[in-house]
Amino acid sequence: MFGIIANFDCHLISCIIDLDYVYENYINKISQRVLALSFLTERFQYFLLEQEGKGKIIHEYVTRQINRDMQTNYGRLFKTHNLPQTIKFSDIDNQIKFARVAEEPILQLSDFFAYSVLIRSRTHGEKQDRWRSISHRYYNLNHPNVFKRGNCSL
């Protein structure tokens, strides 16, 4: 699977969030899923602007209530004073598509990709062979502007 990702014409975006830091330093608490979605969507919008394209967010179906909450909060992500508004989501459909992994092959690839980011973070970089094998597929890897980095870390 990592070989497929490494050789597939794609651009990767990931987000690692230190929840202890976020929840200790911000007054308005935002759920982990919604917070990650906001950072990923922001970078996706920058990518779409560069590509002059339109896009849609596809998220794994969780539960009806969690999906509803995510969709509700999706439009409010950058209205909080705790998140800087760096860009409008003008090229992204305002409805999230929630799908089962079996129905959307891109979600299956995303699970493998997410594993490489997770294991790299949890081991503080000691285990990053999988991540290295696909890191060249990142959108704006380590870009000097943190809002445009495909490898977001907070």
Side-chain angles (χ1 to χ4, degrees):
M1 291 303 284
F2 288 100
I4 291 170
I5 297 168
N7 295 308
F8 189 64
D9 183 17
C10 64
H11 299 273
L12 305 174
I13 300 172
S14 67
C15 180
I16 294 289
I17 301 171
D18 180 345
L19 292 177
D20 291 333
Y21 171 81
V22 170
Y23 290 153
E24 287 174 10
N25 291 294
Y26 293 104
I27 296 168
N28 294 332
K29 308 302 185 235
I30 300 172
S31 76
Q32 174 183 354
R33 288 182 186 277
V34 172
L35 189 58
L37 179 64
S38 70
F39 291 128
L40 295 171
T41 303
E42 179 179 51
R43 278 122 183 106
F44 186 39
Q45 176 62 46
Y46 279 114
F47 171 78
L48 291 171
L49 281 174
E50 288 178 17
Q51 301 298 311
E52 297 179 359
K54 300 288 182 188
K56 183 166 190 72
I57 300 293
I58 301 173
H59 193 282
E60 183 176 352
Y61 182 91
V62 186
T63 68
R64 196 163 141 196
Q65 185 60 46
I66 291 173
N67 294 351
R68 185 180 305 139
D69 291 345
M70 286 179 63
Q71 182 62 60
T72 299
N73 289 315
Y74 185 65
R76 301 180 193 162
L77 290 174
F78 292 97
K79 292 182 182 177
T80 175
H81 300 291
N82 291 334
L83 294 173
Q85 184 174 5
T86 64
I87 195 164
K88 301 277 187 209
F89 298 156
S90 58
D91 298 314
I92 301 174
D93 190 322
N94 63 1
Q95 292 292 313
I96 301 169
K97 178 181 179 180
F98 293 98
R100 307 262 183 215
V101 172
E103 299 166 358
E104 286 291 338
I106 196 68
L107 292 175
Q108 296 168 21
L109 286 173
S110 297
D111 283 343
F112 278 88
F113 165 59
Y115 166 79
S116 72
V117 176
L118 178 67
I119 197 69
R120 180 179 188 241
S121 175
R122 284 197 176 155
T123 65
H124 305 286
E126 287 184 25
K127 293 184 179 180
Q128 58 180 326
D129 290 346
R130 292 293 187 195
W131 183 85
R132 282 187 186 131
S133 73
I134 59 176
S135 65
H136 66 283
R137 289 291 175 201
Y138 260 97
Y139 164 69
N140 285 343
L141 182 64
N142 296 324
H143 191 282
N145 180 340
V146 296
F147 298 110
K148 293 185 177 183
R149 281 184 189 165
N151 54 322
C152 172
S153 182
L154 175 69

